[in-house]
């Protein structure tokens, strides 16, 4: 290129940079040489190599700037900032001034590196650009700034061309400045509206912090739309620490209120004026369908509202000009889970926790007195809470608006079923009714009606409990904290990506992935459910709910009814003509939900006409012949039991393959369900590989994943992982409270997980951990130094006497060298009395006590699906592609098909089966976990919301 287009760099100080690999080292040297630096010396030792590069200044400085790039295998491998982030929010290693910024940009176009360019407007000349800045990463992922902004501390004269001889009267070389430049900052507001829901505060926290990290100003509108109308102090700018403690708080800290004024145009006009006055051009609304509808209407009217404000003289044209477009993003906060187009809403799972805790407590007194209880739960137009509570607590009957009891004599059917349960030996009866329950003629069914029915018809001592607003209260569960957090972060990204021609988005959870969908289409689809119920089209009403709703209702009936009188309600129209002998065994460490899975498998198998056998104490118990046929009542009450009622251990079939085969043949076990962790998966592999030697293993087998570590391949969630997350969360909440009370104390909390960091990452996100150590990343001195530096910085910023307690989460296998005690000792030593450090090793308390509602529901779903799988691979299913060899003596189960031994996995809203052989290519057998982990994306959010720019 000609002389005028050459790249010229000036005013860079001495830098020492470290490359972790030789490839990165050589690429870095070449990269800086392309920018005009010259390699002047290379030095080597046994372990390291370093190259000195010189930038020969054209300003005649006494000292030319130099750069040292060193290769060190112990160096920390840095990750670049995400292209979706505003890099101005992150500290750069240096700002380099140059008069050839255009040439640099043209050069970067030829490289695979990403970069961001910002034009900074002039303060003195509106419409003019004062200077430009280019942000990019070098091959070591160091953030650098190139700018043509004059350095106020250096020479004012224009630099001459590179390598020209400078005159003797030049000014001294400028020293570089580390600076974060910024243009017009976006102002994003969030409000909560409608009924409060646990997790709303987590979404507010996420929006505020994500907005700040993206270089925006964050505002909270207090008291919902009323605060938007009132303006003034009701719209407050939020700082980073203003949302401290929001994760654990129930309800909504910024308040919610009904606002009649906002329903009318004059109210919305005033709200628009207040937003313009505050400079806010984006609004994130967390609420139900009514709140989100109001928000979208506000956006649609926005141009006419501004026009009216200008014409009335309340605002000038210049004032409204920057706010021509209003961005609206919806977050669904609703305990009813009644919004279409999303699998789950913020607050619904926590509400389910409150309901199940209450019914578990009621169950003990009901059983003591042999009573019946009718429990009313919320859900005016949606039966999700009643259905899921029915599954999770083992209720005898449920009433929901989408699926009313059929026929005019539904009372007779209900009483007959409850009487059968009593005749089988049940001492308690639980009936759950949601507040909007109706019969097929749309007549209301109330808790009082049902109490009178049970009292008068069955002469049961019946009580009625209306849970009311206790369902809304309390601290959010781990699932809702993480859901609200991830959706809040995504809402900020949706605001920044919004354009006037894109419909307002709603942040949804679909198939275990955060998604943006059309807000008004979702609201309209939600309204269709009530319309379908109104015209008695209950089939459509059920289909309009989330994808699993219909299936789970059938599964509730299938695991609750004790006879086949209601066969049309069960998942199959007909029972198989021959019974199947099904073995059920627990393998590995105990996990919440194991007993729920056994219960569902036993009851569904019996209702399908099969004979279930419980194998006690894992494979050693099978070898010893500890096998027992299980009856319908043998598993009564198991839903709420933690641990493993059958007994479990980590022993494998290889303990004695011959004896395992012999006992399976002795008890004529024709199919097998293994409920457990990675040990159950390897047990399936052992039996699969031994099929040629032991024909008894040539039968269908299903592995239901159950481990708190969530490290089984072929599934997104294992039974027990949600229970464990909530146990860790509750412990960390208490620990953090202690740390805050003690002032300036850091706790390093060790959690389980083996070689999988799932528990550490997800619990870290749920409790707001400052740092999370996982095996996938490891621990080194450089990382520990960053953590100490961050703590020093954060504690220096805390207000005097109001220092916050902070928590580090360390997965047990994150490092063999840097143990929990050592990490704590380093933090304490380096804190120099600025902060203290303690350890907390949670141990087996992480297995939890009673399983969480989600683990109970997942267990029921997986167990029912497992029985269906066994039927299909024995040729008993009407949908089976397997050739059936059914004789008068029963089915022939000899099956060597690799697909007949599979893992039952949860993938989004679906249950799928993958053969253990096919999963081998997706499995890291050495480290006992899947090769790919979907939850690793959440790790970045942990760092983002802890303001760990040094780790992003």
């Amino acid at each position: 290129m000609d002389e005028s287009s050459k790249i010229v760099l000036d005013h860079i100080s001495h830098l020492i940079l470290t490359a972790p690999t030789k490839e990165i080292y050589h690429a870095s040297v070449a990269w800086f040489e392309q920018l005009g630096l010259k390699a002047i010396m290379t030095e080597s030792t046994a372990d390291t190599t370093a190259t000195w590069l010189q930038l020969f200044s054209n300003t005649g400085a006494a000292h030319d700037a130099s750069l040292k790039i060193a290769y060190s295998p112990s160096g920390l491998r840095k990750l670049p900032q995400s292209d979706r982030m505003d890099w101005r929010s992150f500290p750069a290693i240096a700002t380099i001034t140059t008069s050839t910024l255009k040439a640099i940009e043209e050069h970067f176009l030829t490289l695979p590196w990403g970069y961001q360019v910002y034009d900074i407007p002039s303060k003195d000349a509106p419409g003019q650009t004062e200077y430009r800045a280019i942000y990019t990463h070098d091959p070591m992922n160091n953030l650098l700034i190139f700018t043509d902004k004059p350095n106020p501390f250096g020479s004012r004269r224009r630099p001459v061309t590179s390598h020209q001889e400078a005159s003797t009267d030049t000014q001294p070389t400028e020293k570089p400045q580390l600076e974060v430049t910024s243009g017009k900052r976006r102002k994003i507001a969030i409000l909560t509206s409608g009924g409060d829901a646990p997790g709303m505060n987590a979404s507010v926290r996420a929006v505020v912090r994500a907005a700040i990290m993206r270089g925006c100003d964050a505002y909270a509108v207090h008291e919902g739309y009323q605060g938007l109308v009132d303006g003034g102090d009701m719209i407050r700018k939020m700082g980073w620490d203003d949302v401290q403690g929001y994760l654990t708080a129930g309800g909504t800290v910024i308040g919610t209120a009904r606002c009649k004024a906002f329903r009318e145009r004059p109210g919305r006009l005033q709200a628009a004026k207040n937003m313009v006055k505050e400079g806010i051009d984006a609004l994130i609304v967390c609420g139900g369908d009514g709140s989100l509808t109001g928000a979208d209407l506000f956006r649609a009217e926005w141009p006419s509202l501004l026009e009216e404000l200008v014409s009335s003289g309340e605002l000038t044209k210049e004032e409204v000009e920057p706010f021509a477009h209003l961005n609206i993003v919806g977050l669904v906060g609703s305990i009813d889970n009644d919004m279409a187009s999303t699998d789950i809403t913020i607050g619904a799972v926590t509400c389910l926790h409150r309901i199940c805790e209450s019914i578990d407590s009621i169950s003990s007194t009901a059983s003591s007195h042999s009573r019946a209880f009718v429990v009313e739960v919320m859900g005016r137009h949606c039966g999700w809470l009643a259905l899921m509570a029915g599954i999770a607590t083992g209720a005898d009957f449920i009433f929901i608006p989408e699926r009313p009891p059929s026929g005019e004599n539904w009372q007779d059917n209900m009483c007959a079923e409850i009487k059968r349960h009593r005749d089988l030996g049940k001492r308690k009866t639980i009936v759950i009714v949601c507040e909007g329950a109706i019969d097929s003629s749309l007549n209301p069914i109330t808790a009082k009606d049902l109490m009178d029915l049970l009292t008068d018809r069955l002469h049961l001592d019946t009580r009625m409990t209306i849970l009311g607003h206790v369902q809304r209260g309390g601290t959010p569960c781990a699932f809702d904290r993480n859901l609200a957090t991830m959706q809040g972060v995504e809402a900020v990204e949706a605001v920044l990506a919004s354009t006037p021609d894109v419909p307002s988005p709603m942040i949804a959870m679909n198939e275990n992935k955060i998604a943006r969908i059309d807000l008004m289409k979702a609201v309209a689809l939600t309204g269709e459910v009530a319309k379908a119920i109104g015209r008695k089209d209950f089939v459509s009403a059920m289909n309009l709910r989330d994808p699993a709703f219909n299936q789970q209702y059938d599964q509730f009936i299938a695991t609750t009814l004790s006879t086949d009188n209601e066969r049309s309600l069960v998942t199959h129209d007909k029972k198989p003509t021959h019974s199947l002998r099904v073995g059920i065994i627990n393998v590995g460490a105990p996990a919440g939900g194991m007993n729920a899975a056994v219960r569902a498998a036993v009851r569904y198998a019996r209702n399908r006409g099969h004979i279930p056998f419980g194998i006690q104490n894992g494979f050693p118990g099978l070898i010893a012949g500890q096998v027992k046929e299980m009856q319908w009542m043998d598993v009564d009450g198991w839903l709420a039991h933690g641990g493993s009622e059958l007994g479990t251990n980590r022993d494998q079939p290889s303990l004695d393959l011959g004896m395992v085969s012999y006992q399976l043949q002795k008890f004529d076990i024709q199919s097998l369900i293994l409920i457990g962790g990675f040990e159950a998966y390897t047990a399936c592999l052992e039996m699969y590989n031994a099929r040629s030697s032991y024909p008894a293993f040539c039968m269908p087998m299903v592995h239901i994943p159950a481990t708190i570590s969530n490290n089984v391949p072929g599934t997104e969630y294992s039974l027990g992982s949600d229970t464990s997350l909530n146990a860790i969360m509750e412990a960390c909440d208490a620990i953090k409270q202690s740390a805050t009370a003690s002032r300036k104390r850091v706790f390093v909390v060790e959690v389980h997980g083996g070689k999988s960091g799932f528990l550490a990452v997800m619990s870290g996100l749920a409790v707001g951990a400052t740092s999370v150590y996982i095996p996938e990343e490891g621990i080194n001195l450089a990382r520990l130094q960053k953590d100490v530096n961050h703590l020093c910085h954060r504690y220096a910023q805390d207000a005097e006497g109001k220092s916050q307690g902070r928590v580090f989460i360390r997965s047990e296998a994150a490092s063999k060298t840097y143990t929990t005690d050592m990490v704590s000792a380093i933090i304490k030593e380096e804190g120099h009395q600025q902060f203290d450090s303690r350890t907390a090793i949670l141990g087996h308390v992480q297995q939890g006590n009673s399983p969480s509602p989600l683990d109970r529901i997942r267990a029921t779903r997986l167990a029912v699906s497992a029985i269906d799988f066994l039927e299909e691979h024995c040729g008993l299913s009407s949908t089976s592609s397997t050739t059936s060899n059914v004789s008068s003596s029963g089915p022939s189960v000899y099956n060597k098909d690799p697909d007949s031994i599979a893992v039952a996995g949860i993938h989004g809203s679906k249950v799928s089966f993958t053969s253990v052989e096919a999963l081998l290519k997706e499995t890291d057998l050495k480290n006992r976990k899947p090769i790919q982990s979907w939850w690793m994306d959440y790790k970045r959010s942990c760092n983002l919301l802890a303001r760990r720019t040094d780790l992003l």
Side-chain angles (χ1 to χ4, degrees):
M1 53 187 174
D2 60 29
E3 187 71 6
S4 63
S5 64
K6 285 184 179 179
I7 295 173
V8 178
L9 303 183
D10 293 293
H11 316 308
I12 179 173
S13 182
H14 302 276
L15 291 174
I16 300 177
L17 305 177
T18 302
T21 69
K22 286 189 176 180
E23 291 78 8
I24 295 176
Y25 162 73
H26 291 300
S28 300
V29 171
W31 192 83
F32 280 100
E33 283 184 324
Q34 290 176 356
L35 292 177
L37 284 86
K38 298 295 182 182
I40 58 173
M41 182 176 66
T42 298
E43 54 188 25
S44 299
T45 65
D47 299 321
T48 63
T49 301
T51 295
W52 286 88
L53 296 101
Q54 195 86 6
L55 177 62
F56 296 98
S57 175
N58 62 337
T59 58
H63 300 285
D64 292 317
S66 58
L67 171 67
K68 177 183 179 181
I69 300 177
Y71 158 62
S72 174
S74 62
L76 180 67
R77 184 188 292 268
K78 296 182 180 180
L79 295 175
Q81 275 72 34
S82 168
D83 290 340
R84 300 171 65 187
M85 303 293 290
D86 186 334
W87 292 348
R88 291 174 294 179
S89 302
F90 302 98
I93 62 163
T95 297
I96 303 172
T97 59
T98 174
S99 61
T100 58
L101 199 64
K102 184 177 180 180
I104 289 175
E105 185 174 359
E106 291 174 352
H107 176 64
F108 286 159
L109 281 172
T110 67
L111 301 177
W113 271 263
Y115 64 92
Q116 295 180 0
V117 181
Y118 298 97
D119 290 320
I120 312 306
S122 173
K123 297 178 181 178
D124 302 324
Q128 300 294 319
T129 298
E130 181 177 347
Y131 64 93
R132 301 189 82 199
I134 299 177
Y135 288 69
T136 191
H137 297 91
D138 65 20
M140 294 167 283
N141 288 327
N142 297 302
L143 184 62
L144 295 166
I145 304 172
F146 294 85
T147 180
D148 56 6
K149 177 183 180 180
N151 190 327
F153 300 105
S155 173
R156 296 290 181 181
R157 109 176 158 75
R158 182 179 178 84
V160 294
T161 307
S162 178
H163 309 311
Q164 286 183 337
E165 184 176 349
S167 62
T168 57
D169 59 346
T170 54
Q171 298 294 321
T173 304
E174 302 171 18
K175 294 183 179 179
Q177 304 171 78
L178 291 179
E179 55 185 332
V180 177
T181 58
S182 62
K184 179 181 178 296
R185 294 176 68 88
R186 296 290 301 275
K187 295 186 177 183
I188 303 173
I190 180 170
L191 64 81
T192 52
S193 179
D196 65 296
M200 279 184 165
N201 292 318
S203 67
V204 173
R205 171 184 178 269
V207 166
V208 168
R209 293 192 169 182
I212 292 172
M213 290 296 287
R214 293 287 268 124
C216 305
D217 291 333
Y219 289 78
V221 181
H222 290 252
E223 308 305 333
Y225 286 115
Q226 189 64 54
L228 209 58
V229 174
D230 293 344
D233 196 43
M234 302 300 283
I235 304 176
R236 304 173 195 170
K237 186 176 180 180
M238 302 291 283
W240 187 270
D241 290 328
D242 290 334
V243 291
Q244 189 79 30
Y246 271 39
L247 272 175
T248 60
T252 166
V253 173
I254 63 176
T256 179
R258 296 186 181 278
C259 181
K260 292 182 180 180
F262 194 79
R263 297 177 185 174
E264 306 295 332
R265 184 176 173 86
R268 295 191 291 274
L269 190 70
Q270 184 62 38
K273 177 183 176 181
N274 290 333
M275 288 186 65
V276 171
K277 286 292 187 182
E278 293 289 347
I280 297 168
D281 62 354
L283 182 64
I284 298 173
V285 177
C286 183
D289 57 346
S291 302
L292 300 184
T293 301
D296 194 72
L297 175 62
F298 191 39
R299 179 193 179 183
E301 290 183 343
W302 184 258
S304 65
L305 292 173
L306 295 188
E307 186 177 340
E308 186 175 340
L309 288 168
V310 172
S311 63
S312 65
E314 295 194 50
L315 293 175
T316 66
K317 187 177 181 180
E318 289 73 21
E319 284 180 307
V320 303
E321 187 176 0
F323 306 99
H325 170 56
L326 173 65
N327 292 330
I328 292 288
V329 177
L331 295 172
V332 191
S334 169
I335 64 169
D336 295 333
N337 194 31
D338 55 355
M339 180 64 77
S341 303
T342 184
D343 296 343
I344 196 69
T345 59
I346 297 170
V349 175
T350 299
C351 183
L352 185 61
H353 274 251
R354 299 293 97 82
I355 293 170
C356 292
E357 289 163 5
S358 300
I359 294 178
D360 286 350
S361 299
I362 286 170
S363 293
S364 61
T365 186
S367 183
S368 298
H369 297 274
S370 192
R371 283 178 177 152
F373 273 82
V374 179
V375 181
E376 182 184 288
V377 300
M378 288 185 172
R380 191 167 302 157
H381 302 295
C382 180
W384 188 86
L385 285 174
L387 172 58
M388 298 305 157
I391 295 172
T393 62
D396 296 85
F397 235 83
I398 63 169
F399 291 88
I400 60 175
E402 299 92 337
R403 189 76 175 263
S406 58
E408 296 182 358
N409 60 342
W410 62 265
Q411 296 93 336
D412 295 336
N413 293 336
M414 184 186 79
C415 290
E417 182 61 31
I418 289 175
K419 186 176 185 305
R420 271 186 215 101
H421 290 179
R422 290 282 176 160
D423 291 342
L424 285 169
K426 285 197 73 173
R427 287 182 53 82
K428 66 177 186 294
T429 299
I430 303 293
V431 177
I432 300 175
V433 55
C434 67
E435 57 186 343
I438 53 174
D439 63 18
S440 56
S441 299
L442 306 184
N443 299 310
I445 297 176
T446 68
K448 179 67 165 56
D449 295 337
L450 295 171
M451 183 184 72
D452 293 340
L453 180 64
L454 295 177
T455 302
D456 298 339
R457 292 274 193 96
L458 297 177
H459 309 291
L460 294 176
D461 183 5
T462 308
R463 298 287 189 272
M464 178 177 68
T465 299
I466 298 176
L467 295 181
H469 284 74
V470 71
Q471 298 164 80
R472 290 189 184 274
T475 186
C477 67
F479 183 91
D480 271 329
R481 294 188 193 187
N482 290 344
L483 174 69
T485 296
M486 295 304 296
Q487 289 191 339
V489 172
E490 183 64 20
V492 173
E493 296 300 322
V495 163
L496 299 177
S498 179
T499 59
D501 57 331
V502 175
S504 298
M506 182 186 88
I507 309 302
M509 173 68 83
N510 290 327
E511 304 297 335
N512 199 35
K513 292 180 176 61
I514 304 295
R516 303 175 196 172
I517 61 173
D518 190 315
L519 188 154
M520 288 315 296
K521 285 184 179 179
V523 170
L525 202 57
T526 300
E528 290 299 315
V529 179
K531 293 177 182 177
I533 293 173
R535 62 177 181 265
K536 301 181 183 179
D537 185 0
F538 302 113
V539 173
S540 295
M542 290 290 286
N543 291 333
L544 284 167
R545 291 300 179 202
D546 71 81
F549 192 86
N550 229 326
Q551 184 186 43
Q552 287 175 307
Y553 180 85
D554 290 340
Q555 291 174 345
F556 167 75
I557 298 298
T559 56
T560 302
L561 299 181
S562 58
T563 70
D564 60 355
N565 287 353
E566 298 273 350
R567 188 55 51 195
S568 62
L569 295 179
V570 188
T571 52
H572 302 275
D573 292 333
K574 295 180 180 179
K575 293 168 67 173
T577 55
H578 293 276
S579 62
L580 190 65
R581 296 168 72 86
V582 182
I584 304 171
I585 185 171
N586 290 345
V587 184
M594 274 185 164
N595 296 318
V598 174
R599 172 192 176 274
V602 167
R603 291 197 168 178
Y604 184 52
R606 297 213 74 92
N607 281 345
R608 297 287 296 152
H610 305 308
I611 306 173
F613 290 84
I615 300 171
Q616 298 179 336
N617 305 318
F619 282 103
L622 177 59
I623 290 170
Q626 298 171 358
V627 181
K628 174 190 174 185
E629 181 180 344
M630 302 196 74
Q631 304 297 328
W632 199 83
M633 278 299 294
D634 288 342
V635 291
D636 191 48
W638 280 26
L639 267 168
H641 292 188
S644 168
E645 295 290 339
L646 285 179
T648 185
N649 54 63
R650 300 178 185 272
D651 288 316
Q652 297 285 284
S654 52
L655 186 66
D656 193 335
L657 279 170
M659 203 61 183
V660 169
S661 173
Y662 168 76
Q663 294 291 7
L664 291 174
Q665 290 176 304
K666 175 183 175 182
F667 289 97
D668 193 20
I669 302 298
Q670 299 168 319
S671 58
L672 193 62
I673 296 177
L674 299 91
I675 305 170
F678 203 87
E679 295 84 358
Y681 173 71
T682 53
C684 286
L685 279 175
E686 285 189 1
M687 290 187 285
Y688 170 73
N689 292 328
R691 275 180 161 181
S692 58
S693 302
Y694 299 95
F697 298 150
C698 298
M699 62 177 171
M701 301 182 193
V702 178
H703 171 202
I704 296 178
T707 168
I708 67 172
S709 301
N710 198 33
N711 63 334
V712 174
T715 186
E716 291 174 347
Y717 290 102
S718 298
L719 303 184
S721 60
D722 186 68
T723 301
S724 182
L725 275 178
N726 281 283
I728 294 170
M729 179 198 75
E730 291 170 5
C732 286
D733 284 350
I735 288 168
K736 205 168 184 180
Q737 179 177 277
S738 171
T740 299
S742 302
R743 303 284 189 253
K744 297 188 177 182
R745 178 161 290 174
V746 179
F747 271 89
V748 182
V749 180
E750 182 181 301
V751 300
H752 280 334
K755 291 290 187 177
S756 169
F758 171 83
L759 286 178
V761 169
M762 301 303 279
S763 62
L765 192 64
V767 304
T770 300
S771 189
V772 176
Y773 303 118
I774 57 176
E776 288 80 359
E777 296 176 344
I779 309 175
N780 56 33
L781 278 175
R783 168 64 184 276
L784 291 172
Q785 186 61 59
K786 285 187 175 185
D787 290 335
V788 170
N789 291 341
H790 176 78
L791 286 173
C792 292
H793 177 68
R794 292 294 289 138
Y795 276 110
Q797 288 184 325
D798 286 344
E800 185 65 29
K802 294 185 178 180
S803 293
Q804 297 292 325
R806 291 179 169 87
V807 169
F808 283 32
I809 303 290
R810 179 188 177 276
S811 185
E812 59 184 349
S815 171
K816 291 182 179 179
T817 303
Y818 298 105
T819 63
T820 301
D821 287 336
M822 180 178 285
V823 170
S824 179
I826 290 172
I827 291 172
K828 183 176 182 179
E829 180 68 23
E830 294 296 320
H832 301 296
Q833 298 184 343
Q834 187 181 7
F835 46 83
D836 192 10
S837 181
R838 295 286 189 275
T839 62
I841 300 176
L842 300 185
H844 286 75
V845 72
Q846 297 166 80
Q847 291 179 357
N849 187 9
S850 183
S852 71
L854 281 185
D855 275 332
R856 302 184 197 186
I857 292 165
R858 289 168 180 164
T860 300
R861 194 172 180 207
L862 287 171
V864 171
S865 299
I867 296 293
D868 290 341
F869 174 90
L870 297 179
E871 286 184 2
E872 179 182 349
H873 285 271
C874 288
L876 299 179
S877 170
S878 58
T879 61
S880 173
S881 59
T882 303
T883 303
S884 178
N885 297 313
V886 180
S887 65
S888 58
S889 60
S892 172
V893 298
Y894 186 84
N895 191 337
K896 293 189 70 174
D897 184 358
D899 290 338
S900 64
I901 301 185
V903 174
I906 295 174
H907 295 277
S909 62
K910 301 179 181 66
V911 173
S912 59
F913 293 87
T914 312
S915 71
V916 294
E917 180 190 48
L919 285 173
L920 274 174
K921 63 179 180 293
E922 303 175 16
T923 305
D924 180 353
L925 286 173
K926 179 182 177 181
N927 292 310
R928 297 163 49 86
K929 64 180 182 180
I931 294 173
Q932 298 293 329
S933 301
W934 62 267
W935 46 264
M936 278 298 290
D937 291 340
Y938 285 41
K939 179 65 165 61
R940 182 175 181 81
S941 295
C942 286
N943 294 332
L944 178 79
L945 298 175
R947 212 170 195 172
R948 297 303 305 273
T949 56
D950 53 336
L951 300 180
L952 289 170

